[in-house]
């Protein structure tokens, strides 16, 4: 009974603190420390375990297998590519290449979201960058406000789960998976999502008469080379990891060097822009690691008071099937994504739910226990991405409104996002029924020598 009281109290205090607007990292660390002191007071634990907080935080940051050093470089990579003007150039180029295709500007907007994947560690940066480039051409071409708003929000949310997105790094860490496998696992689902979105826009806009836009006179060959170079820089990161040429940190470092060369070739690498990108990278990195530390303190205290066991007992009491548990788990992840950033969901709530996740045995359905973990991790990533696009609380929708021109209301963006969310939910259902869509590429990427060890794990 005492453990249940502590479990509820810690979750309630944390929720109140987060909703109050107080910095999340301080809320997590403070709740964890207060929970520890209270647990000592009632005799659940003792002060001898106080040193575990330091050891836990130090262990998380110094764990060589996690490679946290790649996080600031991935963020820097996305920001420097954005500063180099890749989005604007790619949108203009795709608009010319897709001439005659219904909804070409909406489709071009979706494809930009894939290129901006490294910047999607902070979804606002991705959505706003796309919005600044794509809103004006779509509106000038005669698109309805709901179509333009939905396309911008969907494009910004795509990069969250497309390699080498930062979120995939944290998901692989939570599930103890190889980052290379996590990267390839999401390639097919995201491409299917883009294809479904593109078909939807092409079908719904087939009768729309697109007004020709006055495009600036630029060198087509130069634009094409610049876009291909940017795509090559981004693609080199997951490819070098998958092929075993480099670790994540090494690949990220080479990617940053390539991005700097691209920006230099475009004459966008001034001292002012480099300083601005560096400051933004430092700010975002500090926020990420502060939350990581706070989540470590909260997680340790929560485990000491038996919180995960209590939650597992509560859910087990309903006597649900594995499929019902999986459906509830994904629904909870989507709801949590409404009000919490993905970092908080992955570092705070998913570890709390991990005892339930570990009890899900889909080895027969997927093919092996290890690939079942990859499959569940991929579903959770897509559930989080869906939450960013789901009215009325999706983060991508708010950022799309923030950067929207006059004439586009939040209600317009909501209406534009609803059919796209329906498509995503249908895709998740298909991935549940056909797990090979997630596990096929990881199976191809694994060598036969690695297979027995990974399956046993």
């Amino acid at each position: 009974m005492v453990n249940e009281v502590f479990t509820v109290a810690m979750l309630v205090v944390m929720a109140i603190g987060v909703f109050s607007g107080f910095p999340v990292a301080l809320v997590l660390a403070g709740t964890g420390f207060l929970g520890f002191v209270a647990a000592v007071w009632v005799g659940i634990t003792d002060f001898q375990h106080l040193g575990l907080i330091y050891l836990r935080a130090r262990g998380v940051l110094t764990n060589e297998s996690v490679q946290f050093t790649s996080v600031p470089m991935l963020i820097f990579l996305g920001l420097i590519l954005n500063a180099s003007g890749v989005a604007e150039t790619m949108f203009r180029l795709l608009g010319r290449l897709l001439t005659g295709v219904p909804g070409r500007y909406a489709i071009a907007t979706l494809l930009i979201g894939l290129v901006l994947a490294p910047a999607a560690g902070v979804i606002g940066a991705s959505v706003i960058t796309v919005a600044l480039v794509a809103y004006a051409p779509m509106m000038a071409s005669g698109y309805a406000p709901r179509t333009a708003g939905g396309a911008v929000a969907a494009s910004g949310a795509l990069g969250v789960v497309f390699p080498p997105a930062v979120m995939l790094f944290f998901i692989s860490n939570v599930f103890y998976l190889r980052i290379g496998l996590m990267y390839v696992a999401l390639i097919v689902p995201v491409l299917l999502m883009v294809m479904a979105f593109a078909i939807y826009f092409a079908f719904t806009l087939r009768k729309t008469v697109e007004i020709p836009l006055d495009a600036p006179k630029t060198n087509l060959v130069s634009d094409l080379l610049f876009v291909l170079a940017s795509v090559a820089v981004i693609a080199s990161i997951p490819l070098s990891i998958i092929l075993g040429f480099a670790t994540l940190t090494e690949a990220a470092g080479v990617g940053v060097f390539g991005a700097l060369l691209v920006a230099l070739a475009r004459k966008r690498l001034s001292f002012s822009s480099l300083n601005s990108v560096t400051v933004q990278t430092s700010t975002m990195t500090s926020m990420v690691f502060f939350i990581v530390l706070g989540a470590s303190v909260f997680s340790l205290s929560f485990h000491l008071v038996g919180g995960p066991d209590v939650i597992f007992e509560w859910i087990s009491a309903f006597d649900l099937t594995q499929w019902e548990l999986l459906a509830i788990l994904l629904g909870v992840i989507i709801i949590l994504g409404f009000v919490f950033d993905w970092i908080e969901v992955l570092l705070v709530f998913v570890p709390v739910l991990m005892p339930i996740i570990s009890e899900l045995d889909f080895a027969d359905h997927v093919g092996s226990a290890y690939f079942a973990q990859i499959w569940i991790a991929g579903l959770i990533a897509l559930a989080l991405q869906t939450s960013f696009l789901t009215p009325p609380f999706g983060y991508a929708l708010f950022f799309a409104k923030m950067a929207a021109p006059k004439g586009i209301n939040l209600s317009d963006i909501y209406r534009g996002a609803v059919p796209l969310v329906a498509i995503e939910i249908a895709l998740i259902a298909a991935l549940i029924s056909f797990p090979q869509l997630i596990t096929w590429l990881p199976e191809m990427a694994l060598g036969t020598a690695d297979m027995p060890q990974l399956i046993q794990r």
Side-chain angles (χ1 to χ4, degrees):
M1 186 65 182
V2 175
N3 296 83
E4 294 181 352
V5 171
F6 268 84
T7 297
V8 173
M10 288 187 68
L11 292 176
V12 169
V13 169
M14 182 193 66
I16 293 174
V18 170
F19 283 114
S20 70
F22 205 68
V24 174
L26 294 179
V27 170
L28 293 173
T31 304
F33 187 74
L34 289 175
F36 174 81
V37 172
V40 171
W41 184 57
V42 299
I44 294 179
T45 185
D46 55 67
F47 270 113
Q48 291 181 358
H49 291 121
L50 183 62
L52 292 177
I53 294 178
Y54 163 75
L55 294 175
R56 178 65 174 262
R58 183 177 182 275
V60 168
L61 295 182
T62 59
N63 188 347
E64 294 182 0
S65 64
V66 177
Q67 300 186 52
F68 273 124
T69 50
S70 63
V71 174
M73 286 189 284
L74 288 173
I75 295 174
F76 184 85
L77 169 65
L79 293 175
I80 200 67
L81 283 179
N82 287 342
S84 68
V86 61
E88 180 182 357
T89 302
M90 186 177 184
F91 186 87
R92 185 171 62 245
L93 179 63
L94 288 172
R96 296 170 66 177
L97 294 178
L98 294 174
T99 299
V101 177
R104 57 173 172 159
Y105 292 118
I107 296 173
T109 302
L110 294 174
L111 296 177
I112 289 175
L114 297 182
V115 176
L116 295 178
V122 179
I123 189 171
S126 180
V127 174
I128 291 176
T129 300
V130 173
L132 294 176
V133 173
Y135 260 138
M138 283 193 287
M139 295 300 292
S141 185
Y143 284 20
R146 65 176 182 274
T147 302
V152 167
S155 176
L158 279 175
V160 179
V161 288
F162 195 70
V166 179
M167 188 177 82
L168 299 183
F169 166 84
F170 283 94
I171 289 182
S172 66
N173 178 37
V174 169
F175 283 87
Y176 301 100
L177 300 171
R178 292 185 181 181
I179 181 61
L181 297 181
M182 199 69 247
Y183 277 168
V184 296
L186 271 298
I187 291 178
V188 172
V190 175
L191 292 181
L192 288 175
M193 188 185 305
V194 173
M195 188 182 303
F197 286 169
I199 293 173
Y200 165 76
F201 283 124
F203 179 77
T204 56
L205 297 173
R206 67 190 186 283
K207 296 182 180 180
T208 301
V209 179
E210 295 184 337
I211 303 171
L213 303 177
D214 294 329
K217 293 182 179 180
T218 58
N219 189 312
L220 179 60
V221 175
S222 176
D223 285 350
L224 183 59
L225 289 175
F226 172 58
V227 170
L228 290 177
S230 301
V231 173
V233 167
I234 296 173
S236 67
I237 297 177
L239 284 177
S240 60
I241 297 170
I242 295 166
L243 297 176
F245 294 152
T247 64
L248 176 59
T249 302
E250 293 166 346
V254 173
V256 167
F257 181 73
L260 290 172
L261 290 180
V262 170
L264 184 62
R266 289 281 295 178
K267 299 180 180 179
R268 299 287 185 94
L269 190 62
S270 63
F271 177 80
S272 175
S273 63
L274 187 59
N275 178 69
S276 175
V277 168
T278 303
V279 170
Q280 291 180 64
T281 302
S282 301
T283 302
M284 293 179 184
T285 303
S286 300
M287 176 193 69
V288 169
F289 282 104
F290 202 4
I291 293 176
V292 168
L293 289 174
S296 299
V297 175
F298 177 85
S299 177
L300 175 62
S301 297
F302 197 69
H303 276 79
L304 287 176
V305 301
D309 295 332
V310 171
I311 292 178
F312 179 71
E313 290 174 2
W314 286 346
I315 296 180
S316 299
F318 290 101
D319 194 24
L320 301 174
T321 66
Q322 289 197 116
W323 294 105
E324 291 170 337
L325 280 175
L326 179 63
I328 291 175
L329 173 68
L330 295 178
V332 168
I333 294 294
I334 291 176
I335 293 173
L336 290 173
F338 290 162
V339 292
F340 297 103
D341 191 57
W342 62 260
I343 282 189
E344 298 154 30
V345 175
L346 289 178
L347 296 182
V348 180
F349 294 102
V350 171
V352 169
L353 298 171
M354 193 56 73
I356 301 168
I357 298 174
S358 62
E359 290 295 318
L360 298 176
D361 184 9
F362 289 103
D364 292 338
H365 178 65
V366 177
S368 76
Y370 186 78
F371 289 116
Q373 285 291 95
I374 296 177
W375 175 64
I376 293 176
L379 292 175
I380 288 177
L382 292 170
L384 268 176
Q385 190 261 354
T386 302
S387 72
F388 298 147
L389 196 59
T390 304
F393 302 113
Y395 279 152
L397 307 177
F398 296 140
F399 286 116
K401 175 60 179 75
M402 184 187 303
K406 292 182 178 179
I408 297 183
N409 301 317
L410 188 58
S411 58
D412 295 322
I413 300 175
Y414 282 172
R415 287 197 297 270
V418 166
L420 301 179
V421 171
I423 291 174
E424 291 203 20
I425 293 175
L427 175 63
I428 291 176
L431 295 172
I432 291 175
S433 301
F434 304 99
Q436 295 80 12
L437 294 173
I438 292 179
T439 61
W440 174 62
L441 281 180
E443 289 176 0
M444 296 288 290
L446 276 176
T448 54
D450 293 331
M451 192 71 72
Q453 177 183 358
L454 291 176
I455 292 177
Q456 289 174 6
R457 180 182 174 186

